[in-house]
Amino acid sequence: PRPAVLSPCFHPYVPPVSTSPGLREFLRRGVAVVANTIASYSVVDAAYLEQVPVIWYLHETQLGLGFMTHNPGLRRLIRLANALVTPTRATAEIYQPFTQNPVHVVPHGYHEVGAKAPAPTAEVPLSFVTIGSYEPRQGQGVFLAAIRLLDTRLREGDVFQLAGRILDTPFSDEHQRTS
């Protein structure tokens, strides 16, 4: 079977699909596209043209509204996604008027108020992941500083991961040296 394709976070001013000859061919090899951020609209458009299903994760709230105001064609693209996913009900309400499909709410990695988190066990290490472009505003420095504050037994027993696009190379290099 063909693998799912995860789209990187594209800059808002990516070239139109017609000038990105390899993108559509690349997407044809996947069974689905998971687009992350409203800025990956060109991937959604290309996937639609190739008849590849799209799950579009839209985490931008006010930024998304502003982006659609300055780029009215985005409203059409939102209708093309097979599924829209947002982290909050408030964000879902922003995008719902632009699609006939329901907007699915999948909260960030925390539990709803009142929900009980499963208790960790010694046999299964905990995994901590931070996802975002490598730049000071995304919090990787805070994440690494918090890890350093943990008791050594906790640090050695669990898994800590960073994932994202490098937008600030010196920042990323410094964290690689110190982690």
Side-chain angles (χ1 to χ4, degrees):
R2 299 185 305 176
V5 176
L6 300 177
S7 79
C9 176
F10 282 91
H11 186 276
Y13 300 105
V14 294
V17 172
S18 60
T19 62
S20 303
L23 179 60
R24 288 177 61 181
E25 182 179 331
F26 174 73
L27 295 175
R28 255 183 251 132
R29 296 186 298 216
V31 292
V33 170
V34 178
N36 175 25
T37 179
I38 196 163
S40 59
Y41 62 87
S42 65
V43 174
V44 172
D45 194 24
Y48 176 79
L49 292 171
E50 294 303 322
Q51 300 178 354
V52 177
V54 175
I55 300 169
W56 200 352
Y57 181 72
L58 297 166
H59 52 84
E60 299 90 354
T61 306
Q62 291 305 112
L63 178 70
L65 256 179
F67 206 49
M68 287 190 298
T69 300
H70 296 299
N71 298 288
L74 281 176
R75 296 174 185 168
R76 176 190 64 83
L77 292 175
I78 287 176
R79 288 192 301 269
L80 301 181
N82 299 83
L84 293 176
V85 179
T86 66
T88 66
R89 286 184 193 89
T91 305
E93 289 171 7
I94 286 175
Y95 295 103
Q96 189 61 69
F98 303 105
T99 182
Q100 294 181 346
N101 297 323
V103 178
H104 305 277
V105 176
V106 178
H108 292 295
Y110 53 83
H111 297 279
E112 294 286 333
V113 175
K116 195 166 188 157
T121 65
E123 299 83 37
V124 179
L126 294 175
S127 290
F128 298 88
V129 179
T130 183
I131 300 172
S133 50
Y134 286 86
E135 56 185 321
R137 70 180 186 90
Q138 293 291 353
Q140 290 93 346
V142 173
F143 182 67
L144 293 170
I147 293 168
R148 286 186 205 102
L149 293 173
L150 291 173
D151 181 271
T152 305
R153 291 173 300 146
L154 292 173
R155 274 198 322 255
E156 292 174 356
D158 293 324
V159 178
F160 302 91
Q161 297 176 312
L162 299 167
R165 227 176 15 145
I166 296 174
L167 295 181
D168 185 327
T169 302
F171 177 78
S172 174
D173 291 347
E174 176 62 26
H175 283 111
Q176 286 182 0
R177 279 190 298 277
T178 61
S179 59

